[in-house]
Amino acid sequence: MSLQSFGFFGFLLVVAAVYLHLPRRWQSPFLLAASWVFYALAMPAMLPVTIAVAVLTWLCGRALAGAHKTAALRAGVVGLLAILAFFKYNGAFDGLAGWRTVAMPLGISFYSFAAIAYLIDAARGDCEIETNFIDCALFLNFFATVTQGPICRGGQLLPQLKEEHRFDAARTVRGLRLLALGLFKLVAVSDVLGVLVDEVFPNYHSYGGPMLLLGAVAYTLQLYFNFSGYSEVARAVGLFLGLELPENFKTPFFATNFSGFWSRWHISFSSWLQDYLFMPLAWADLSGLTRGKVQRLPAEVCVFTVFFLSGFWHGNTLPFVLWGLLQACYRLGEELLHRRFGKPRKKAPARVLRAKRAVVFALWTVSMVFFRVGSAPAGTMTAADAFGYLAGWFRGWSPVRFAAELYSAVYTGFYANPIMVAAYYAFGAAVLALAFYLDTRRAFTYKNKPSGIALAGEKHRWVIYYLLVVCLLAGYIMQSGGFGNAGFGMYAGF
């Protein structure tokens, strides 16, 4: 029951109708029960793990108020990291002494990071210690965020869970805008692009450079619109229930450098890395090791460590490690250029800004080849395939071959008809044009204000609303020609 399935819409309608009419004291217990039902329908065997994480977080949080605050914090953070590491990396021991891989619970990274952030914030005094288990568990297991984020902070969400929530027309309208936009990105853009991507990447040996380049760009856009669309649907669900969830994307493809890119991409995760990994590393006092005055790690070492661990978090296979190393190289290379040539001017010519955005997008697309290879089913693709895919960009640059490959790449099943092949590419071009029009308006006209505000501010917004809905309905048909369950988002497996 993914957030774009018809079953989920029915589930949400029932939950909202009941939740908004319950007395305040029953609202959180009901929403937690609904969240556990949602998780049980998705992955019943792993529901006990999510509950165990909530129990551990609550107990360690309560212990922060006692005399052994530091020990409680260490126990909580180490325990959560140990649970996360076991489920993410136990597959490395598959077959060793009869070991069988234990499946990873859906969304465990997202609610584990939220739990770690809560414990650290509570220990610092940045948020209140939550003594109510139901609210603590709901904060971690809320069904809109449990599978793919955004990663919420306790100080932002926990106080909201203690408030009474009733139907609010203006808030519901905001939610409907975000829902339409998020579903459009998920179904009409990302899922449709996935038809091409899922054909080209596994069979890259059969395609020439232009088609492989198109496949890489298509995957880059597919991942962006999938994850940003999912985040907006999650925020919409929160609004229907009276909860404000954090924004997760701010038009990252309009960034002119990688520093700006990472402040706009997967914001809840990148800010988590900044607050709970980079800053502790940057401020760590190494004088105990050097037996001298206060020593700090060089900023370059901190940046490299953060991006390397980010790659390793996504997966312990070489493609993900290389992806993380590429991000570190991009970010450090950018800093070295700034030191050599100085910081760029704030008001550079438009052509310079466009060139810089193109370079950032191109480098990001190269790294996405490693990310897609790492995301392939276990054992089907390796780092060698990623390098082979990139090398394939330089072969077979024939217009005739490219035209034939464009046709053959989607000529199957639902699209086994020349008219449907043409319709696929025409629809893809149309929805991408609409999606980038909205991102462009948000980036430049509305100065990256929240997407719902930007959408509501459009002069011809009703035309856009109708276009989003029409494209969404067409997208349900264009994606493999069916109305099946499309899964829990491309990032749910991390």
Side-chain angles (χ1 to χ4, degrees):
M1 190 168 61
S2 67
L3 266 63
Q4 71 232 56
S5 68
F6 294 116
F8 176 75
F9 301 148
F11 172 82
L12 175 60
L13 184 62
V14 171
V15 169
V18 175
Y19 175 79
L20 295 173
H21 289 86
L22 285 173
R24 163 66 198 98
R25 66 181 182 277
W26 291 110
Q27 285 188 321
S28 289
F30 172 77
L31 196 54
L32 177 60
S35 297
W36 282 347
V37 167
F38 174 85
Y39 200 95
L41 291 173
M43 202 175 191
M46 291 302 169
L47 177 60
V49 176
T50 66
I51 297 175
V53 168
V55 171
L56 174 63
T57 305
W58 177 66
L59 290 174
C60 290
R62 290 287 300 270
L64 291 175
H68 303 288
K69 176 179 178 179
T70 302
L73 176 62
R74 287 175 179 171
V77 172
V78 171
L80 290 166
L81 289 175
I83 294 170
L84 177 61
F86 170 78
F87 283 106
K88 281 187 72 69
Y89 306 120
N90 77 88
F93 305 103
D94 191 32
L96 184 64
W99 178 266
R100 296 182 63 182
T101 301
V102 180
M104 188 171 71
L106 192 65
I108 187 171
S109 291
F110 296 96
Y111 56 78
S112 295
F113 285 163
I116 291 171
Y118 158 69
L119 290 177
I120 295 175
D121 287 349
R124 292 172 176 171
D126 294 336
C127 77
E128 297 291 331
I129 294 173
E130 182 52 67
T131 58
N132 185 306
F133 171 71
I134 290 176
D135 285 343
C136 183
L138 178 56
F139 157 64
L140 298 175
N141 297 162
F142 178 41
F143 67 86
T145 62
V146 70
T147 59
Q148 200 171 312
I151 302 169
C152 297
R153 302 290 179 93
Q156 187 260 343
L157 186 56
L158 282 169
Q160 296 185 57
L161 299 178
K162 299 186 179 300
E163 298 172 356
E164 184 178 60
H165 300 290
R166 294 288 176 251
F167 174 79
D168 181 270
R171 190 186 67 230
T172 302
V173 169
R174 288 172 57 206
L176 288 172
R177 289 193 196 103
L178 278 178
L179 183 67
L181 182 61
L183 288 175
F184 164 75
K185 290 180 177 181
L186 273 170
V187 178
V189 184
S190 178
D191 288 346
V192 170
L193 288 175
V195 174
L196 177 67
V197 171
D198 291 344
E199 163 60 27
V200 172
F201 267 86
N203 306 298
Y204 71 92
H205 290 294
S206 304
Y207 293 101
M211 198 66 198
L212 295 181
L213 185 58
L214 177 63
V217 171
Y219 176 69
T220 300
L221 299 178
Q222 180 197 13
L223 183 65
Y224 165 59
F225 286 112
N226 183 278
F227 202 6
S228 65
Y230 186 100
S231 298
E232 282 165 352
V233 172
R235 291 180 61 222
V237 172
L239 287 173
F240 294 145
L241 301 173
L243 303 173
E244 293 277 355
L245 301 181
E247 199 168 17
N248 220 11
F249 289 85
K250 288 185 179 180
T251 61
F253 294 141
F254 292 98
T256 56
N257 54 47
F258 276 95
S259 174
F261 183 92
W262 278 102
S263 69
R264 300 173 177 216
W265 175 277
H266 198 351
I267 298 168
S268 64
F269 178 57
S270 58
S271 63
W272 191 96
L273 292 175
Q274 171 77 16
D275 295 343
Y276 306 109
L277 185 55
F278 177 80
M279 293 306 295
L281 284 173
W283 287 99
D285 183 1
L286 305 181
S287 58
L289 299 176
T290 60
R291 295 183 180 180
K293 62 180 181 179
V294 174
Q295 296 287 333
R296 308 287 187 198
L297 284 172
E300 295 82 359
V301 173
C302 299
V303 170
F304 180 88
T305 302
V306 166
F307 282 112
F308 174 77
L309 291 177
S310 173
F312 194 72
W313 166 71
H314 282 90
N316 63 339
T317 58
L318 186 55
F320 282 123
V321 173
L322 292 173
W323 176 83
L325 291 175
L326 277 175
Q327 304 313 313
C329 290
Y330 294 162
R331 188 68 183 86
L332 292 175
E334 185 176 276
E335 288 301 316
L336 291 175
L337 287 173
H338 290 169
R339 291 180 186 180
R340 176 65 179 84
F341 300 104
K343 292 282 186 180
R345 289 183 297 168
K346 291 184 178 180
K347 293 187 177 181
R351 65 180 182 278
V352 173
L353 296 177
R354 285 194 293 269
K356 293 174 73 173
R357 293 186 187 105
V359 170
V360 170
F361 182 82
L363 292 175
W364 179 253
T365 300
V366 169
S367 74
M368 284 292 96
V369 172
F370 292 92
F371 199 95
R372 176 59 176 80
V373 168
S375 303
T380 60
M381 300 188 82
T382 66
D385 291 302
F387 287 110
Y389 191 102
L390 292 172
W393 287 4
F394 302 98
R395 69 167 185 258
W397 281 78
S398 163
V400 175
R401 177 177 177 176
F402 181 44
E405 289 175 351
L406 274 175
Y407 183 79
S408 64
V410 296
Y411 186 83
T412 182
F414 182 67
Y415 300 101
N417 181 295
I419 296 177
M420 289 306 300
V421 171
Y424 171 85
Y425 285 111
F427 182 77
V431 294
L432 281 173
L434 177 56
F436 272 104
Y437 168 79
L438 294 176
D439 264 15
T440 302
R441 294 283 294 171
R442 182 186 176 194
F444 299 110
T445 303
Y446 297 98
K447 307 301 181 184
N448 266 327
K449 289 182 180 178
S451 52
I453 293 176
L455 189 58
E458 289 295 297
K459 181 178 179 181
H460 303 291
R461 57 186 176 275
W462 279 102
V463 175
I464 296 174
Y465 296 159
Y466 286 126
L467 284 174
L468 292 176
V469 173
V470 169
C471 290
L472 168 62
L473 294 177
Y476 273 114
I477 299 173
M478 295 296 289
Q479 53 157 322
S480 303
F483 293 87
N485 190 325
F488 288 90
M490 295 171 69
Y491 245 81
F494 297 106

